[in-house]
Amino acid sequence: MDTPPTSVDVTRRRALTVAGGVLAGTALAQATYPAFAASASSADADAIVVGHGLAGLVATAELAAAGRKVLLLDQEPEASLGGQAFWSFGGLFMVDSAEQRLMGVKDSQDLAWQDWLGTAGFDRGIDDPAGQDYWAYKWAEAYVDFASGEKRSWLSGLGVQWFPIVGWAERGGGLADGHGNSVPRFHVTWGTGPAVVEPFEKKVRAAVAAGKVTFRFRHRVDGIVTTNGTVTGVRGAVLEPSGAARGKPSSRTVVGDFELRAPVVVVTSGGIGANHDLVRQNWPARLGTPPKFMVTGVPAHVDGRMLAITQQAGGRIVNPDRMWHYTEGLRNYDPIWPNHGIRILPGPSSMWFDATGKRFGSPDIPGYDTLHTLGSITASGYDYSWFVTTQKIIAKEFALSGSEQNPDLTDKNVWQLLSRIWQTPEPIEKFKKNGVDFVVATSLSELVRGMNKLTGDNLIKLDDLQRQVEARDREIDNPYTKDVQVMGIRNALTYVGDSLSRTASAHKILDPSAGPLIAVRLNVLTRKTLGGLQTDLSGRVLSATGDPVPGLYAAGEVAGFGGGGVHGYRSLEGTFLGGCLFSGRAAGRAAAAATAT
């Protein structure tokens, strides 16, 4: 097992990797394809981009800006342009930002790199060019540099703005060099996911108007075409026109076929989150037995098809067992896609119990360590867990992930946003009223009856639950405690951002004035693929031998957000959209350089 260098050891290596790596990769890309000019007359475009999500839009925008003609393909209709990013909360990981400094947060590139290494846990050949983590580690270095440097100014120059209070996600709850964010780094985009997509959609639509980009909606790629070992295009099926709204399943009826030629193909097709069979197939033993029931955090078209298709063209898939699924999923009472789940983004105060009513210990605290808690849930032998909380807590601490669940932020409605100060956000109240996973009661005995009725298994025993809740409540009497979760609450309240908007004042769960009592059944929610196609720093897809597959690039989730696994085993959050932006930009620029004549 390799031992990752410390932040002190990597300065020279990082400089060589970031400053030289991308330029060297671009030069190699240009040298790899000397026959581009000769084959241009027989091509349908200079480049084909497969997938019109965020990474695909960014890559296409870069290619078009360099004067390349691009075909942008997707199996979905135009309504789904922007892909999963449109539905996101718009969180972006940034380091030492103006927003952090406004909140009194002291961050640095070294601290962020320390957190990234402690979270990622790279252990699969970071010093071996054949290792699964070799390029992932290099992408991580480059990405932390990007997040610490030009990321904010680049996006700000495109008109992107952020809510001034920085969120503190994945707090870790362990040692300084272990998993988690040492400081708040989750920057919520003003306008959420749609506002992240918007500038790149505008660039691409302008390129369409200028004749540089052609949309090919309802074009499902079934194969990547190679000629003499070089990628020369794609083939597939044309699906019937669809009027399906964004996120709704679209028809898979085939009305024709196609084959399109280009010297460069960029795959940006996303992950596997809606394909539960593929999720279970790749589920790692370290996370226990995969749940029999899960809710789905992405639309049905996020099916992972392009991974195997690209592998058949010579690409190497690495780290397929690394994935990111949430533990706080709700069944959507008003679903958009099949089995639609919504995630609670919790503050630190709700008590967390397994299905039998046993309280989880550290680090299984709301907002601390997603994958450790996932393993604890599967180890319980059940597919779900419980929050036991109060109205006072959910009013301030509950947020729902997704652009559609945050109309104040998405619509940039300042008055509606300010109303969170004196009332529970309307989407939360709607879920409490209409969602099947909520139990509301005026006493603990009534709550337990409701919990057991909801699941139908009578696993929760009143005496046992009351003992644990009362024990926790006794720890509130002093400003110090041995209860790790109460320590976390007090720690959160020292951060002005949490005390203003994300953490309720410390109080007893059984305090009637904080009521009513609320129990929330939490389901496992599928979301992100952390492994994928291995790529170098130019986004070129690598083969099993470590050599680039000529003409083939990948970016976004299908590439593990860069290198086949930039996050390693776990995420610091706010890094998925950012990974699409960064890897899409790198692949687009490198592909443009490779097709220069």
Side-chain angles (χ1 to χ4, degrees), residues 131-421:
Q132 294 187 77
D133 280 340
Y134 180 77
W135 286 104
Y137 184 93
K138 291 179 180 295
W139 271 94
E141 287 183 298
Y143 183 73
V144 172
D145 284 352
F146 174 64
S148 305
E150 67 170 314
K151 181 178 182 180
R152 187 186 184 284
S153 60
W154 175 57
L155 291 172
S156 179
L158 295 173
V160 181
Q161 297 176 305
W162 297 274
F163 184 59
I165 297 178
V166 184
W168 195 355
E170 282 297 295
R171 307 183 188 207
L175 300 177
D177 59 355
H179 168 57
N181 284 293
S182 298
V183 298
R185 297 192 176 105
F186 191 82
H187 296 68
V188 177
T189 302
W190 185 233
T192 67
V196 179
V197 172
E198 181 181 10
F200 302 100
E201 180 180 345
K202 284 182 176 179
K203 284 177 176 287
V204 170
R205 289 195 182 278
V208 171
K212 292 294 184 184
V213 174
T214 301
F215 286 128
R216 294 291 178 93
F217 303 113
R218 305 298 283 156
H219 279 56
R220 184 186 70 198
V221 173
D222 296 325
I224 294 172
V225 179
T226 59
T227 305
N228 298 324
T230 297
V231 168
T232 54
V234 298
R235 58 174 176 80
V238 180
L239 306 179
E240 69 177 353
S242 172
R246 182 187 293 275
K248 293 285 188 180
S250 62
S251 165
R252 289 296 179 259
T253 300
V254 174
V255 296
D257 54 33
F258 69 90
E259 184 167 329
L260 297 168
R261 296 164 296 169
V264 160
V265 172
V266 185
V267 179
T268 59
S269 55
I272 67 174
N275 188 337
H276 287 201
D277 290 339
L278 201 53
V279 168
R280 292 188 176 96
Q281 177 183 321
N282 290 288
W283 191 276
R286 65 181 175 274
L287 291 180
T289 303
K292 294 179 181 179
F293 174 79
M294 297 181 285
V295 292
T296 306
V298 293
H301 61 78
V302 185
D303 54 20
R305 293 179 67 254
M306 285 303 299
L307 280 163
I309 290 168
T310 310
Q311 186 179 43
Q312 290 168 4
R316 181 191 185 195
I317 296 173
V318 295
N319 302 310
D321 61 312
R322 293 179 182 170
M323 52 185 66
W324 189 257
H325 305 305
Y326 290 111
T327 51
E328 312 99 333
L330 303 174
R331 302 172 211 223
N332 195 340
Y333 67 90
D334 186 19
I336 297 171
W337 52 80
N339 194 33
H340 188 175
I342 294 293
R343 184 204 173 198
I344 297 172
L345 284 73
S349 301
S350 297
M351 297 185 71
W352 206 338
F353 298 87
D354 71 13
T356 68
K358 179 182 178 182
R359 187 184 179 193
F360 289 126
S362 179
D364 302 331
I365 298 169
Y368 275 67
D369 192 330
T370 294
L371 288 195
H372 190 281
T373 307
L374 178 57
S376 296
I377 291 170
T378 59
S380 75
Y382 295 88
D383 295 344
Y384 65 94
S385 59
W386 290 101
F387 275 169
V388 171
T389 188
T390 67
Q391 181 68 34
K392 182 175 180 178
I393 290 172
I394 74 163
K396 193 164 187 179
E397 296 194 8
F398 275 28
L400 299 175
S401 183
S403 54
E404 82 283 12
Q405 298 298 331
N406 294 275
D408 48 358
L409 289 164
T410 301
D411 297 338
K412 303 180 181 180
N413 187 322
V414 175
W415 175 253
Q416 193 176 8
L417 179 66
L418 289 174
S419 72
R420 294 190 185 209
I421 296 172

Side-chain angles (χ1 to χ4, degrees), residues 526-545:
T526 62
R527 185 58 66 87
K528 294 298 180 185
T529 312
L530 299 188
L533 298 167
Q534 191 172 43
T535 59
D536 66 10
L537 287 175
S538 293
R540 296 183 299 173
V541 176
L542 305 178
S543 69
T545 63

Side-chain angles (χ1 to χ4, degrees), residues 36-66:
F36 275 178
S39 63
S41 61
S42 62
D44 296 295
D46 297 316
I48 294 170
V49 177
V50 181
H52 66 201
L54 181 58
L57 289 173
V58 175
T60 300
E62 292 292 339
L63 282 157

